[in-house]
Amino acid sequence: VQLQASGGGLVQTGGSLTLSCASSDMFSTFRVVGWYRQKAGKERELVAEIIRNGGTNYADFVEGRFTISRDDAKNTLQLQMSDVQPADTAVYYCNVEYGRTNVGKLQSWGQGTQVTVSS
């Protein structure tokens, strides 16, 4: 699976940004699709995900500011970010999970897109 994330950039505190991810395969076929982020010197963390049945999960730090959506007609995965804060500065990655084994997830990652929030 090849994933291509886009939409990152520099945004002011309180502003909005929409990230988009394209996939070589249909997002609707994956078990879970989502967005993660990695801050400098930190581990990668989940931001939001959509389960195959349509259910969504958000990290606590999102606090209602971000919305994840999947457009099956365009085969894109989006993350709409609003009221961004400097703490949201990170590289954002789209992710798909297509299976699980007894040793972990089978998944693919996009190349990441940088989001920088200026104070």
Side-chain angles (χ1 to χ4, degrees):
V1 181
Q2 293 184 344
L3 302 172
Q4 181 73 36
S6 61
L10 178 63
V11 59
Q12 291 185 335
T13 296
S16 300
L17 201 64
T18 297
L19 306 182
S20 186
C21 184
S23 171
S24 58
D25 295 348
M26 294 297 295
F27 279 113
S28 59
T29 64
F30 297 114
R31 183 179 179 278
V32 183
V33 298
W35 288 94
Y36 286 70
R37 72 184 187 185
Q38 188 167 18
K39 300 180 182 183
K42 303 292 186 181
E43 293 187 353
R44 199 170 295 187
E45 59 183 352
L46 174 69
V47 177
E49 64 184 5
I50 301 176
I51 312 302
R52 181 180 287 159
N53 63 7
T56 57
N57 295 311
Y58 291 91
D60 290 342
F61 61 75
V62 170
E63 297 180 326
R65 300 178 297 128
F66 301 170
T67 301
I68 188 171
S69 61
R70 194 186 74 199
D71 187 329
D72 290 344
K74 297 180 180 179
N75 194 34
T76 57
L77 180 70
Q78 291 193 328
L79 182 69
Q80 295 175 288
M81 306 168 64
S82 61
D83 190 26
V84 294
Q85 301 297 313
D88 295 318
T89 294
V91 178
Y92 284 71
Y93 297 89
C94 59
N95 168 275
V96 298
E97 179 186 327
Y98 50 89
R100 291 192 175 186
T101 70
N102 57 350
V103 296
K105 299 178 183 179
L106 298 174
Q107 55 188 332
S108 291
W109 296 92
Q111 87 287 4
T113 184
Q114 175 72 46
V115 172
T116 302
V117 183
S118 62
S119 58

